Amino acid sequence: MKCIDFIDGKTGVLGIIGNPIEHTFSPVLQNTIASVLKHNFVLVPFEVKKGHVKTAIDGAFELGIKGMCVTIPHKQEVIEALVDIDEKAKQIGAVNMLKRVENGFKGFNTDIIGLKKSLEMKNILIKNKKILILGAGGAARSVGILAASENAKEIFIANRTIEKAVGLADDINKYYGTDIKALSYDEAEKLSDINIIIQATSVGMSSTTNQSPIQNKNIFKGVDACFDIIYSPWETEFLKSAAAMGITAINGFDMLIYQGIAGYEIWNDIKIENNIAEEIKYNLTHYYRNL
Ligand code: NAP
């Protein structure tokens, strides 16, 4: 797929920092957006070691870099290098997108925006719904903050390490005055009347491809929609179980695309209309599925 037409003296440079970085999808994603919009931008990957993030960010500012994506393991460490942080990113405690401002970079979390958009585009609304979140890591923090800020009726967080679920529930309850309950998987599997399950662990990818955090399929009874934050494999065991019961089952690919689009909008102070976003998503889905 051709995504950079040309580079000249006016090309705006964007970057992504992480370590390792060679598997990142962000250069293809952001360069495709720039190409579809016919903007003169290029995004390139930078491997940055832990402990060197501030030096890298200060250097990026001096080099005139317009914006940055931030990926594992720097989403927390980067916060100390920022001159400002968006309120939602502060609540989540992780930043994945930096916008150049007057004296440095401001941090945002666009994972939460991508997740919200990806659910909305499938007509899945969180408001007044009973939500079960699986996982209590970085991705689950965005999911929990989204569920609370969208006024879910009830929220449960299940995690293998229960202390982390308790910590996450406490943090969100403090911000939103919610009453989120932390559970073990055994307890979660006994819940009934759940409307939406959001799978935010890494179970189902890499060495756990044939596994699902949910063992007891009874939990799917009465559920309207299941979302899995994973997109490789395209359909996890968790999603296969949900789909087999006739439940709407969505993977994390659209979230990935929409978080990237949200970042591009923030960098450029623009709104990318839905029909253009759909074209970008179509191109990238086609490319990704033929890799
Ligand atoms: P993380 O902070 O390392 O958290 C990992 C989570 O998975 C924890 O809740 C952990 O439980 C759980 N877990 C790991 N192995 C497990 C196992 N064998 N059994 C049960 N639970 C297990 O990672 P993260 O940043 O939250 O990322 C989670 C996933 O989200 C990754 O696959 C990542 O690629 C994906 N993600 C997707 C998008 C997207 O745009 N679609 C965006 C961000 C992240 P413990 O606390 O018990 O260890």
Side-chain angles (χ1 to χ4, degrees), residues 44-162:
V44 287
F46 297 108
E47 185 179 293
V48 174
K49 293 190 180 68
K50 267 188 147 180
H52 294 256
V53 173
K54 182 159 179 4
T55 311
I57 296 300
D58 290 348
F61 184 75
E62 293 305 327
L63 288 170
I65 288 186
K66 309 277 178 220
M68 309 273 282
C69 303
V70 181
T71 188
I72 292 169
H74 300 323
K75 290 183 179 184
Q76 285 87 31
E77 185 186 335
V78 75
I79 292 173
E80 69 181 28
L82 305 176
V83 293
D84 195 6
I85 184 166
D86 171 73
E87 180 56 31
K88 279 262 167 56
K90 197 162 133 193
Q91 291 173 5
I92 295 165
V95 157
N96 73 323
M97 206 61 78
L98 311 185
K99 179 186 168 76
R100 186 184 179 87
V101 291
E102 205 181 331
N103 300 315
F105 288 97
K106 176 174 178 178
F108 295 82
N109 187 305
T110 62
D111 282 340
I112 188 169
I113 305 174
L115 174 62
K116 181 172 184 240
K117 180 90 178 176
S118 129
L119 293 173
E120 277 173 6
M121 292 302 281
K122 302 278 184 197
N123 290 322
I124 297 166
L125 300 180
I126 285 174
K127 191 171 179 183
N128 294 330
K129 299 287 171 53
K130 253 174 117 168
I131 314 285
L132 170 60
I133 300 167
L134 308 178
R141 288 191 83 84
S142 301
V143 178
I145 296 283
L146 177 69
S149 61
E150 292 290 305
N151 298 314
K153 185 173 162 194
E154 235 176 318
I155 305 169
F156 302 91
I157 301 175
N159 197 45
R160 175 180 61 178
T161 312
I162 185 80

Side-chain angles (χ1 to χ4, degrees), residues 201-260:
T201 75
S202 47
V203 180
M205 64 185 296
S206 309
S207 61
T208 56
T209 302
N210 297 319
Q211 297 174 25
S212 165
I214 292 296
Q215 308 304 321
N216 186 344
K217 301 207 169 78
N218 282 337
I219 193 159
F220 291 116
K221 278 186 193 154
V223 169
D224 301 324
C226 286
F227 178 93
D228 198 321
I229 203 150
I230 294 172
Y231 51 86
S232 176
W234 195 255
E235 190 181 39
T236 57
E237 284 302 313
F238 168 76
L239 285 189
K240 277 183 197 160
S241 301
M245 294 188 70
I247 298 166
T248 303
I250 304 159
N251 75 10
F253 192 73
D254 286 4
M255 171 180 170
L256 175 77
I257 304 303
Y258 289 125
Q259 65 76 29

